[in-house]
Amino acid sequence: MDLAAILLVPVVVVVTAAVIFLHSLVLKFLSTATVRNKVVVITDALTGLGKECAKLFHEGGARVILCGKTCEKLEGFADNLTSAADPKLTFPPKLVLVDFGDMNSMPDVIAETLECYGCVDVLILNSSLKVKAPVQSTSLKMDKLVMDNNYFGPITLAKGFLPSMMSRRTGHVILINSIQGKLAMPFRATYAASKHAVQAFFDCLRAEVQEYGISVSTVNHTFIISPPPGEKTKKSIWSIFSKQKVMGITPAEAANEILKILNSKKREVVMAHSLPKMAIYARSLFPNVFFAVMAAGVNNAAGVNNIAALADSEEL
């Protein structure tokens, strides 16, 4: 009996891993089928997360519109996407220059984007600008620039595409926000304020447009980590059990979660491990304790570094 029980353990592990792996493949297939022929707009498509989303949706047969600040880089990335995919199953990406630092250009951006295919089915708002500095050292000019990129830019695009979505009674807006839309950290006052503001806007928008069949989802993550250049991500059933428990998430993980959201229409996803999630609950349930911990961290150099590590990243 003991020998049989010992032999049974690895069999159960293998079978469980196989079932989970197959389940994830089925979900990915269903999610990919959801985006086929859909018009998908991705802002800041040249970041790590933007590229992963563009690759995933392009391969899934979506009509992808890539937005970014640099024409040459967008063209190069679009060429790479086209050459790596089957032209019979994919559409050539469309390119639109978008700079949220220039809010006067937004009407032209919206018009140009709508001209590509006549409508927008999915709007992925991925853009973000962060600043790390004490409040007294942050200029009003910087405050406004961060708000333009993190708040006014995304909401202006959303407003621009809403009439088309409402008339067609379909559409999905996905805001890639930060965990700082729910949790403010010292030395991130301007950044956290912009993320709180945009979170509140889309929470309100969700309720307002539900009757028109429009979905609004927010993704609050800690930070995006990228593997060192040249390092390839291993994919196997064993990776489910051996995944590193790090504070951040990879662009591929975030992109796959976004793809799932289109199928599930989940309203909110917090992509974070236990410690950041505990901090969110502590802020709501035990605010005085939370504030004391934050203040203690500011007074301690090591604490400041730990706080910064939670929020600091290339793509918050």
Side-chain angles (χ1 to χ4, degrees):
M1 288 294 292
D2 291 340
L3 180 60
I6 292 173
L7 293 176
L8 186 61
V9 171
V11 174
V12 172
V13 170
V14 171
V15 171
T16 303
V19 170
I20 295 174
F21 181 69
L22 289 173
H23 179 66
S24 66
L25 285 180
V26 171
L27 286 179
K28 186 174 181 180
F29 173 77
L30 291 175
S31 300
T32 303
T34 303
V35 303
R36 188 170 301 280
N37 294 319
K38 298 291 185 181
V39 179
V40 180
V41 177
I42 304 173
T43 64
D44 222 351
L46 295 175
T47 62
L49 176 54
K51 287 181 176 180
E52 284 292 337
C53 286
K55 180 181 177 183
L56 203 57
F57 286 97
H58 177 67
E59 291 176 348
R63 303 170 191 261
V64 178
I65 301 175
L66 306 177
C67 302
K69 296 180 181 180
T70 309
C71 183
E72 292 78 11
K73 290 182 179 180
L74 279 175
E75 289 175 347
F77 178 49
D79 289 341
N80 291 337
L81 285 179
T82 303
S83 61
D86 186 345
K88 296 179 181 178
L89 302 175
T90 58
F91 298 91
K94 302 279 188 178
L95 311 179
V96 176
L97 290 179
V98 177
D99 182 3
F100 287 145
D102 179 13
M103 291 301 298
N104 293 328
S105 67
M106 288 302 104
D108 293 334
V109 167
I110 293 166
E112 183 181 351
T113 304
L114 288 173
E115 284 174 4
C116 290
Y117 292 108
C119 66
V120 171
D121 295 305
V122 180
L123 173 61
I124 300 177
L125 296 165
N126 173 51
S127 305
S128 187
L129 178 67
K130 55 173 191 170
V131 58
K132 173 187 173 183
V135 169
Q136 67 272 20
S137 301
T138 307
S139 67
L140 184 58
K141 181 179 179 180
M142 177 57 71
D143 290 335
K144 291 180 177 178
L145 182 61
V146 172
M147 288 300 293
D148 280 346
N149 279 271
N150 297 354
Y151 176 73
F152 287 111
I155 74 166
T156 301
L157 277 191
K159 286 183 175 184
F161 299 136
L162 271 181
S164 172
M165 290 183 175
M166 292 169 75
S167 65
R168 298 171 64 236
R169 303 192 75 83
T170 184
H172 200 146
V173 180
I174 301 180
L175 171 69
I176 311 302
N177 206 20
S178 164
I179 198 168
Q180 290 199 53
K182 293 180 167 294
L183 190 70
M185 294 291 175
F187 306 113
R188 303 291 194 283
T190 298
Y191 178 77
S194 67
K195 292 300 182 180
H196 272 68
V198 77
Q199 178 81 28
F201 179 91
F202 283 97
D203 282 351
C204 294
L205 178 66
R206 179 184 299 113
E208 292 183 22
V209 299
Q210 183 174 330
E211 64 176 301
Y212 297 98
I214 300 171
S215 300
V216 176
S217 303
T218 55
V219 179
N220 299 86
H221 59 74
T222 45
F223 59 91
I224 304 291
I225 55 174
S226 300
E231 182 178 320
K232 294 183 178 179
T233 305
K234 297 179 180 178
K235 294 182 178 179
S236 70
I237 59 176
W238 300 108
S239 65
I240 298 168
F241 295 98
S242 62
K243 188 182 290 185
Q244 249 187 334
K245 295 296 182 183
V246 294
M247 293 296 289
I249 58 173
T250 66
E253 287 174 324
N256 277 291
E257 187 63 36
I258 293 166
L259 187 61
K260 291 177 185 177
I261 288 171
L262 286 176
N263 190 48
S264 66
K265 299 192 184 300
K266 224 174 192 178
R267 294 177 176 85
E268 183 174 83
V269 174
V270 177
M271 297 193 71
H273 294 294
S274 56
L275 183 59
K277 286 183 178 179
M278 286 173 59
I280 293 175
Y281 293 129
R283 169 65 178 83
S284 299
L285 301 174
F286 311 104
N288 289 338
V289 175
F290 177 81
F291 297 147
V293 171
M294 291 297 100
V298 171
N299 293 328
N300 180 284
V304 171
N305 290 333
N306 289 334
I307 292 170
L310 179 66
D312 225 357
S313 164
E314 172 195 358
E315 302 170 53
L316 260 171

